[in-house]
Amino acid sequence: LSGSVGIALRLRGMEHGGKIDVEIELWVTEKLPVPSFKSGVNARSAVNNRLDKLLGRIPGSHRRSGTKGTYQVFVELKNVPMDIEGASRVQDAIVTSIGGIEQWG
């Protein structure tokens, strides 16, 4: 990965049963890497569509757009177990999201 995507991870309230909600914030630290589009709006839309498709295979995931900088997105994961399976799911969401953003470069 290029290092041009920043990331912040937030854990939301723990529910009974040892599950939590996780919010992953990602932002582009440089120019949005979608050279085939003339408009930033079209580039953001293309990246969002790509992320929706990629994240669709990760259970309990949902993408929501941000409003800061060149490009910001939030990936929410619901009911993540506090075990190796949950950690793997979070890792998969992070790697998938970064790859989906950087793929256009």
Side-chain angles (χ1 to χ4, degrees):
L1 300 175
S2 73
S4 63
V5 176
I7 182 169
L9 192 67
R10 295 177 193 88
L11 306 179
R12 303 295 182 191
M14 182 173 307
E15 299 181 15
H16 298 289
K19 294 184 178 182
I20 60 169
D21 292 342
V22 177
E23 178 184 76
I24 305 163
E25 177 187 0
L26 301 109
W27 63 92
V28 174
T29 59
E30 300 172 3
K31 187 176 122 180
L32 189 60
V34 188
S36 60
F37 290 96
K38 303 267 187 235
S39 156
V41 172
N42 290 340
R44 283 188 290 281
S45 179
V47 173
N48 286 338
N49 289 336
R50 174 80 179 145
L51 286 178
D52 287 342
K53 183 182 283 189
L54 291 170
L55 291 168
R57 66 178 184 78
I58 300 174
S61 67
H62 172 75
R63 180 201 55 81
R64 135 177 101 77
S65 297
T67 59
K68 295 183 181 175
T70 303
Y71 181 77
Q72 178 189 39
V73 68
F74 296 88
V75 176
E76 299 171 350
L77 299 172
K78 300 289 185 189
N79 298 316
V80 178
M82 295 289 290
D83 58 15
I84 193 71
E85 176 189 332
S88 178
R89 196 163 121 206
V90 172
Q91 177 190 19
D92 189 22
I94 292 169
V95 170
T96 297
S97 298
I98 292 172
I101 293 167
E102 291 188 343
Q103 170 184 350
W104 299 96

